[in-house]
Amino acid sequence: MASVDSEFVMLVSELLAPLGHIRPRRMFGAVGLYCDGAFFAIISDDVLYLKGDAQTKDRFDAMEMQPFAVPSGRPVTLSYFEVPGEWLDNEEQLLEFATLALGAARRSEAQKGRTAKK
């Protein structure tokens, strides 16, 4: 079962604050992070995962970021990728990849909006 340390959530939220208003929200034993309303990250078992898409794939793959696997009896992965722990000490790199994740989240929301209007 996933768990989340609230101090870790606060630390990550503070580190990501230069991106905009960060709002953590509990979900299914983990925490979703929203930036100005866009769902762009997950924290599970005190590990940060960033949203990815086709535009971020090459960058995330180059850094060997592993996909988030839903903790269930069956193998299900989501489009969120593990942030190496040492990035929490490298704010510049963390913010660079978090900005990519925020872009992926906004593209995803825009795509959902176009699909819903059809």
Side-chain angles (χ1 to χ4, degrees):
M1 179 61 127
S3 67
V4 179
D5 178 1
S6 60
E7 286 184 30
F8 184 75
V9 172
M10 287 176 23
L11 169 68
V12 171
S13 296
E14 288 173 12
L15 289 171
L16 297 175
L19 297 176
H21 176 70
I22 304 298
R23 183 175 60 91
R25 184 171 159 201
R26 289 209 170 269
M27 51 183 277
F28 308 110
V31 171
L33 292 180
Y34 294 77
C35 180
D36 299 327
F39 179 40
F40 79 111
I42 295 172
I43 297 175
S44 179
D45 289 327
D46 294 340
V47 176
L48 174 63
Y49 298 86
L50 296 174
K51 174 92 173 136
D53 66 3
Q55 290 187 34
T56 64
K57 182 179 182 346
D58 290 342
R59 294 285 308 276
F60 286 14
D61 285 349
M63 298 309 256
E64 299 180 359
M65 296 170 71
Q66 299 301 308
F68 173 72
V70 176
S72 68
R74 56 194 174 133
V76 177
T77 58
L78 300 177
S79 296
Y80 290 83
F81 299 86
E82 184 174 350
V83 170
E86 62 269 12
W87 287 12
L88 298 178
D89 294 325
N90 184 341
E91 188 174 345
E92 185 177 317
Q93 187 165 26
L94 177 63
L95 289 174
E96 175 185 348
F97 279 81
T99 299
L100 294 173
L102 188 53
R106 290 181 175 146
R107 286 188 294 277
S108 177
E109 287 178 355
Q111 182 63 36
K112 287 177 187 174
R114 283 194 294 273
T115 304
K117 290 179 183 177
K118 289 183 180 184

